[in-house]
Amino acid sequence: YTANFTYLNNELAQYYGMNNVSTSNFQKVTVDSQRAGLLTKGAVLTINAARQENHPIKRGLLIRRNLLCQEFGTPPANIGEVEPLAPNKPLRERLLAHSSNAACASCHVHIDPLGFAFEHYDATGRYRTFEGNNLPIDSEGSLIGIASMADIDEHHFNDLQGLANILATEGSNQIALCAAEQYQRYFKGIAEPDSCEVSDTVARW
């Protein structure tokens, strides 16, 4: 989550806006906070985005479902839609209007703030400082409930690197448990792995 290096060739380096790789061979490259850790990788960012713009809901669910192993129930039928792309209205503002719906708020309070951490990355994972018609980016947010969404522990961050740091420190135990659980799911092809096997895997790792 916080590694200060990645592996690049010249094509991928250019995609990331970096000019310090000149060959087609992949090599280990030291990076700054814009590309530190797994969460800043183009593949992760792009697959969790919409066709025309980034998608805080998908990116927030990536954290909750895939990295913390926290699940949500089926969305209600009356959730409505997020306002369409508007160059003069920040995506964050459009999402807040959607999540203020009482039918949406109970889940989205745990999803959207995590997705806002990714606001500096567009739909294709390129770093940006503005959105739309030169609207400033707001990537602040908070993670409420690391081990369980029923918990009240709250961890504030200013950007994606801040969220990654929280996951790597205060969230390290839950991250480890979830990684082992996901491993068991894929290895055995079962949705609900045995909790004792998961704990044993964590202990051995």
Side-chain angles (χ1 to χ4, degrees):
Y1 292 94
T2 60
N4 67 341
F5 65 89
T6 190
Y7 292 87
L8 304 174
N9 63 4
N10 56 347
E11 188 173 4
L12 186 54
Q14 289 174 17
Y15 172 82
Y16 285 155
M18 302 165 62
N19 300 310
N20 55 346
V21 180
S22 59
T23 70
S24 59
N25 297 321
F26 278 88
Q27 55 190 276
K28 186 176 180 179
V29 178
T30 300
V31 295
D32 60 19
S33 61
Q34 290 183 15
R35 293 299 169 187
L38 293 172
L39 298 180
T40 67
K41 299 300 172 267
V44 173
L45 294 163
T46 303
I47 200 170
N48 292 287
R51 185 165 57 94
Q52 291 183 306
E53 60 181 338
N54 58 308
H55 202 301
I57 297 173
K58 288 184 177 181
R59 291 174 176 179
L61 285 172
L62 166 72
I63 303 296
R64 287 292 183 188
R65 286 177 171 165
N66 297 70
L67 305 182
L68 297 176
C69 288
Q70 298 172 355
E71 293 297 331
F72 295 86
T74 303
N78 59 336
I79 57 172
E81 297 291 336
V82 177
E83 291 180 40
L85 183 65
N88 293 314
K89 193 170 187 179
L91 174 56
R92 185 178 184 126
E93 186 177 330
R94 290 186 282 129
L95 276 174
L96 287 174
H98 168 254
S99 60
S100 63
N101 181 333
C104 307
S106 61
C107 289
H108 282 270
V109 69
H110 295 290
I111 301 170
D112 296 9
L114 299 180
F116 293 147
F118 296 85
E119 281 297 277
H120 277 290
Y121 300 86
D122 68 12
T124 61
R126 296 180 192 273
Y127 191 85
R128 61 186 185 161
T129 54
F130 296 94
E131 65 173 308
N133 290 337
N134 290 320
L135 303 174
I137 296 292
D138 180 1
S139 59
E140 291 186 17
S142 60
L143 167 56
I144 302 174
I146 289 179
S148 167
M149 288 182 286
D151 294 338
I152 60 172
D153 56 295
E154 186 169 1
H155 311 267
H156 296 277
F157 52 81
N158 293 322
D159 53 23
L160 185 55
Q161 194 57 45
L163 174 58
N165 287 333
I166 292 167
L167 295 173
T169 53
E170 291 100 322
S172 60
N173 289 338
Q174 184 61 25
I175 290 289
L177 281 169
C178 186
E181 187 173 328
Q182 299 285 31
Y183 172 82
Q184 293 284 354
R185 281 176 173 153
Y186 286 105
F187 179 71
K188 294 196 169 184
I190 55 176
E192 297 300 330
D194 180 79
S195 59
C196 291
E197 286 191 42
V198 171
S199 297
D200 183 58
T201 300
V202 172
R204 287 186 289 112
W205 282 1

